[in-house]
Amino acid sequence: MPATVIVGAQWGDEGKGKIVDLLAQHSDVVCRYQGGPNAGHTIVVGDETYKIRALPSGVVRGKPCVIGNGCVVDPEVLIAELDEFERRGHPSCEVYLSGNAHLIMPWHLAIDQASERRLGKLAIGTTRRGIGPCYADKAMRLGIRVQDVLDAKILRQKIEVALAEKNLWLERVYETEPFDLETVAAKYEGYAQRLRPLVADTSLYVDRALRDGKDVLFEGAQATLLDLDHGTYPFVTSSNPVAASAATGVGIGPQRIDRVVGVAKAYVTRVGEGPFPSEIEGDEQARMRELGAEYGTVTGRERRCGWLDLVALRYAVRVNGIDHLALTKLDVLSHFAELPVCIRYRTPDGVEMGDFPAHQSDFHAARPVYEVLEGWNEPLDGCSSVAELPAAARGYVEFVERELDVEVMLVGTGAERSSVLTRA
Ligand code: IMP
């Protein structure tokens, strides 16, 4: 398929990187369309583990990579990642960086941290990478864009203008240290020299690739329920991970997208604060966390774990227009004798609903209604296709398909690149 969007269908960390890595084999270009180094994609190839934050996961396959205008870029992280790839023997990393993407500046990190500290118990639980403040400045038209690195004078001027305001905030509102103009300007001029050769008209590049009949993957970061508009606001990120955003975040028309693949874990995890109806109670949650190694790639934080939530997944199918699902980490469930799956929510007055609540208070109050499926209690290591899964594991996958009316095209059964099963 020429243009495929890969989108997280839950609260992130679904294993999108691994699915992108798999599909990238047959693609010509891989693009990121939103988010920044709050993302953390882990790809295991033999003895090597790649943890990627800024680059699209397709970089591991040596594919040309696009960082679209919808992204926010921390130059320090991006440059470190490029250096690391070179060190590990990928010298010809072909990266096209949109001039319209916004740069994460040191004050964005400082404000993200200070604002979370200030919120105290009401904190969002951000990754503290400056994502929200950077997108806020973009909307305020105070941001510094990648294309500003092309001219040293403009870059310095923009830093000066921004700092005049940011230092006031830092000192007076957040009671923290201001930044020195000369220090920041010198540091960013150093980054600018590394970024200049990467700056490109990425909209034109992707348009041409599609016109030439090339296969392009659009890799979402974060996920549907962290979407600024469609997620569980305010416990969301500051960009739009949903599939439609691939068009605006790269600069192509929406009709160019041919297929949307949603990635969901066979259970659910969430990092940060916010309601989570199917969160597992008691010791079983810690067991699931250990079995699934559910600790954040970027922050190392413990992820909260829950049973598969089909109400939320049905919503993700709707708001993204998901055509196919990839169900990851099914092997983690091999250790449980019984597998509750949330099929509806119950409101405090006893009403049951299969559709995701439109109002935040209803979502906060929602309790899960479970259907308990039988476990399979055996490892999935030896299976090389979905058809070879134990009957109960196949039953689990088919239950998801029936409930959502969407085909599960891929099933993840382990960390390795080869542990993704197809239907055949
Ligand atoms: P921010 O994106 O750093 O502003 O964080 C906002 C919310 O999104 C927090 O709840 C984070 O934990 C969550 N978040 C951001 N990026 C990811 C991710 O890649 N995986 C899971 N959660 C994320």
Side-chain angles (χ1 to χ4, degrees):
M1 279 275 187
T4 302
V5 181
I6 313 285
V7 64
Q10 294 160 326
W11 274 288
D13 310 310
E14 298 93 348
K16 296 178 287 294
K18 203 163 155 233
I19 301 299
V20 171
D21 173 62
L22 183 84
L23 299 181
Q25 285 180 88
H26 311 291
S27 303
D28 301 297
V29 180
V30 184
C31 314
R32 282 248 338 234
Y33 57 87
Q34 46 72 229
N38 47 346
H41 294 151
T42 308
I43 297 165
V44 181
V45 186
D47 296 337
E48 300 248 26
T49 299
Y50 293 89
K51 288 194 188 284
I52 301 166
R53 291 166 55 195
L55 289 163
S57 305
V59 70
V60 179
R61 295 273 181 192
K63 302 290 170 159
C65 288
V66 169
I67 300 179
N69 56 276
C71 297
V72 288
V73 178
D74 185 329
E76 189 176 343
V77 176
L78 177 60
I79 291 166
E81 225 159 77
L82 289 168
D83 288 346
E84 171 73 3
F85 269 89
E86 202 164 316
R87 200 183 58 73
R88 292 170 82 168
H90 300 258
S92 58
C93 236
E94 197 178 331
V95 177
Y96 298 88
L97 176 58
S98 168
N100 288 356
H102 278 246
L103 287 179
I104 297 178
M105 305 300 291
W107 51 86
H108 293 137
L109 292 141
I111 292 172
D112 201 359
Q113 285 156 19
S115 128
E116 282 285 274
R117 263 200 309 276
R118 230 165 159 255
L119 280 168
K121 270 172 41 189
L122 297 176
I124 293 162
T126 72
T127 60
R128 302 190 176 206
R129 305 291 155 169
I131 308 297
C134 185
Y135 277 114
D137 276 356
K138 173 179 176 176
M140 286 283 286
R141 290 143 296 175
L142 246 186
I144 299 180
R145 294 190 296 173
V146 165
Q147 60 182 278
D148 296 325
V149 306
L150 295 174
D151 183 320
K153 215 164 120 218
I154 291 181
L155 180 62
R156 192 181 190 288
Q157 259 172 13
K158 295 220 168 174
I159 293 175
E160 190 170 6
V161 170
L163 263 187
E165 176 174 326
K166 295 301 167 186
N167 275 345
L168 281 179
W169 277 90
L170 286 167
E171 287 184 289
R172 303 218 184 143
V173 178
Y174 294 116
E175 295 171 340
T176 173
E177 291 298 307
F179 286 96
D180 171 57
L181 169 62
E182 297 311 325
T183 313
V184 178
K187 195 169 171 190
Y188 272 69
E189 179 47 32
Y191 296 150
Q193 289 174 18
R194 290 288 305 278
L195 297 185
R196 270 173 207 141
L198 310 181
V199 181
D201 184 340
T202 47
S203 159
L204 188 63
Y205 176 78
V206 173
D207 179 68
R208 285 197 176 141
L210 290 170
R211 278 177 202 281
D212 291 346
K214 294 198 171 151
D215 285 334
V216 181
L217 271 188
F218 298 86
E219 169 181 351
Q222 292 82 50
T224 309
L225 295 170
L226 292 173
D227 185 278
L228 183 57
D229 289 76
H230 302 287
T232 49
Y233 192 91
F235 303 104
V236 294
T237 192
S238 301
S239 66
N240 290 110
V242 293
S245 174
T248 50
V250 166
I252 55 161
Q255 79 281 25
R256 309 291 292 281
I257 295 169
D258 299 293
R259 177 172 71 150
V260 178
V261 177
V263 185
K265 264 180 202 163
Y267 50 101
V268 186
T269 61
R270 171 163 208 182
V271 253
E273 303 308 316
F276 183 0
S278 68
E279 185 164 14
I280 300 171
E281 285 168 13
D283 296 343
E284 289 243 289
Q285 174 162 176
R287 194 162 158 242
M288 175 91 88
R289 183 177 305 118
E290 287 309 312
L291 289 167
E294 296 297 353
Y295 299 91
T297 315
V298 177
T299 58
R301 285 182 294 177
E302 284 187 351
R303 295 180 184 143
R304 297 156 69 194
C305 299
W307 301 114
L308 185 62
D309 180 344
L310 292 179
V311 181
L313 204 46
R314 189 173 293 117
Y315 175 68
V317 169
R318 165 160 52 102
V319 297
N320 292 293
I322 290 174
D323 299 301
H324 303 278
L325 272 175
L327 202 61
T328 59
K329 298 187 98 165
L330 190 68
D331 54 308
V332 174
L333 298 185
S334 301
H335 303 268
F336 295 87
E338 292 192 326
L339 301 168
V341 175
C342 173
I343 49 167
R344 286 188 295 280
Y345 293 158
R346 186 181 292 117
T347 66
D349 42 13
V351 178
E352 292 194 5
M353 50 169 98
D355 286 314
F356 199 74
H359 194 289
Q360 61 176 13
S361 306
D362 293 333
F363 183 58
H364 276 249
R367 293 288 162 262
V369 177
Y370 288 118
E371 179 152 339
V372 180
L373 306 189
E374 61 173 307
W376 43 95
N377 295 305
E378 57 176 298
L380 305 178
D381 307 347
C383 306
S384 52
S385 76
V386 175
E388 287 178 23
L389 286 171
R394 249 188 355 261
Y396 192 87
V397 172
E398 285 161 7
F399 184 78
V400 172
E401 291 182 315
R402 265 198 315 280
E403 286 283 318
L404 302 179
D405 197 18
V406 172
E407 188 206 21
V408 174
M409 65 180 266
L410 297 168
V411 174
T413 56
E416 258 295 328
R417 197 179 225 179
S418 54
S419 315
V420 182
L421 313 183
T422 55
R423 290 311 300 228

